[in-house]
Amino acid sequence: DVKVTQSSRYLVKRTGEKVFLECVQDMDHENMFWYRQDPGLGLRLIYFSYDVKMKEKGDIPEGYSVSREKKERFSLILESASTNQTSMYLCASSVRRGRGTQYFGPGTRLLVL
Amino acid sequence: GNSVTQMEGPVTLSEEAFLTINCTYTATGYPSLFWYVQYPGEGLQLLLKATKADDKGSNKGFEATYRKETTSFHLEKGSVQVSDSAVYFCALESGNTPLVFGKGTRLSVIA
């Protein structure tokens, strides 16, 4: 079974803090994705990566950055957390481009105070 | 650009009722279509998919048929159970671009 793990299920941070959300997949997938999920807005793509050290902006990259130093790990970074970044963050991976099935982690619910 | 529109929820049904969740799409080329499900407290998981016109995806009693003429991929189940309570997302992939998701439809099934 494909497994995508996220470092925390719940996280509470203060405004202005630097926040790291970690995601690891164990199936040697090339593609990895970060989404945020908000009520009424569905899933919105923040960043994605089609290979190690590659990254591409999604629909809402402002205020975020990412790092992919190893194939299995994709980190989302909030450089200076703000209250409007309070959300559920979901990581996903897929085999390669054009192979749509994505496998999701359980999510990290982030609260920024 | 590519987009997915699905019916807004929440949808509340009694156990054993028939379920339909509508999904229509706009896409360039020939997209693949998906339904994902998110159970409470969990991430999304693939429910079913169809990769070409007239294909029917099915899983766990759910079905959806890829209708190119109406650009639709409606999700159906003949008899829902309480355990089907979840949020359902329609999605498409076209070419090498990432999946595009609908906003999700929350289903609540009451005994």
Side-chain angles (χ1 to χ4, degrees), chain A residues 35-55:
Chain A
Y35 297 89
R36 64 178 282 177
Q37 182 179 11
D38 301 287
L41 298 177
L43 269 69
R44 291 182 291 167
L45 182 63
I46 305 171
Y47 268 97
F48 58 103
S49 168
Y50 284 148
D51 202 351
V52 177
K53 298 197 187 291
M54 290 181 63
K55 60 184 179 183

Side-chain angles (χ1 to χ4, degrees), chain B residues 10-63:
Chain B
V11 174
T12 303
L13 295 173
S14 297
E15 213 167 18
E16 299 183 4
F18 185 85
L19 168 71
T20 300
I21 301 178
N22 290 337
C23 171
T24 57
Y25 67 89
T26 303
T28 54
Y30 301 94
S32 295
L33 300 172
F34 305 82
W35 277 100
Y36 281 80
V37 58
Q38 184 180 34
Y39 297 105
E42 298 182 12
L44 279 71
Q45 56 185 272
L46 179 68
L47 181 60
L48 53 85
K49 67 179 182 181
T51 57
K52 61 183 189 296
D54 299 325
D55 267 3
K56 178 187 281 188
S58 61
N59 186 25
K60 299 182 181 180
F62 291 89
E63 292 183 340

Side-chain angles (χ1 to χ4, degrees), chain A residues 26-81:
Chain A
D26 67 357
M27 284 300 292
D28 202 35
H29 285 174
E30 289 186 7
N31 305 334
M32 296 189 76
F33 307 84
W34 274 107
Y35 297 89
R36 64 178 282 177
Q37 182 179 11
D38 301 287
L41 298 177
L43 269 69
R44 291 182 291 167
L45 182 63
I46 305 171
Y47 268 97
F48 58 103
S49 168
Y50 284 148
D51 202 351
V52 177
K53 298 197 187 291
M54 290 181 63
K55 60 184 179 183
E56 298 195 41
K57 292 180 180 179
D59 300 318
I60 52 163
E62 298 77 20
Y64 303 94
S65 61
V66 290
S67 171
R68 193 162 181 208
E69 296 295 319
K70 293 185 177 181
K71 192 174 187 179
E72 68 271 17
R73 188 180 296 270
F74 193 36
S75 303
L76 179 70
I77 303 155
L78 286 65
E79 297 289 345
S80 178

